[in-house]
Amino acid sequence: QVQLVQSGGGLVQPGGSLRLSCAATGPTVSNYAMAWFRQAPGKEREFVATVSQRGSTTYSSDSVRARFTISRDNAKNTFYLQMISLKPEDTAVYYCAARAGSLWYFTAEDYDYWGQGTQVTVSS
């Protein structure tokens, strides 16, 4: 019953920053885990980061952990991905996702609700 609406994304220079937002409509998401995935052309959708219902976070790699921050604002039914020091290899369509649960979940098959996706392009 949750619907997710994304905003943010765009074209940035290498080293630039973007913040992606994912707003939920319907029930509050305080009991949901949220995540971000990305998919580059010709590649599978890959996990980027997740935040549990208790606010614990984890990331897919050291490179992501050093530059990206996932956060949630339950009062606004919204969660975010703040990205800094962007690299060309970060170029992809980024998707937000949510599911009920108290744990971390790492695969696309774990998630029930998805945003529309937004393009992030990092290029000079």
Side-chain angles (χ1 to χ4, degrees):
Q1 298 184 27
V2 175
Q3 296 189 57
L4 304 178
V5 179
Q6 296 182 225
S7 61
L11 173 65
V12 297
Q13 299 271 26
S17 300
L18 286 172
R19 189 178 78 156
L20 308 182
S21 298
C22 186
T25 61
T28 61
V29 296
S30 60
N31 291 327
Y32 284 72
M34 290 84 157
W36 290 94
F37 291 79
R38 65 187 180 186
Q39 188 166 21
K43 297 186 177 180
E44 296 183 353
R45 189 170 300 186
E46 67 172 351
F47 169 79
V48 176
T50 188
V51 55
S52 76
Q53 64 177 236
R54 300 297 295 269
S56 298
T57 61
T58 193
Y59 299 86
S60 61
S61 70
D62 290 342
S63 178
V64 166
R65 179 174 283 104
R67 300 178 298 114
F68 294 7
T69 302
I70 185 171
S71 61
R72 62 191 296 161
D73 185 340
N74 288 342
K76 296 182 178 180
N77 255 18
T78 301
F79 66 107
Y80 308 93
L81 186 68
Q82 177 68 56
M83 304 182 291
I84 65 171
S85 301
L86 283 161
K87 303 175 180 180
E89 52 263 43
D90 296 316
T91 295
V93 177
Y94 283 70
Y95 298 89
C96 63
R99 62 158 287 162
S102 60
L103 307 177
W104 286 334
Y105 308 93
F106 302 105
T107 70
E109 291 77 13
D110 290 322
Y111 289 87
D112 303 301
Y113 306 106
W114 291 87
Q116 301 302 117
T118 186
Q119 179 71 46
V120 172
T121 301
V122 185
S123 176
S124 60

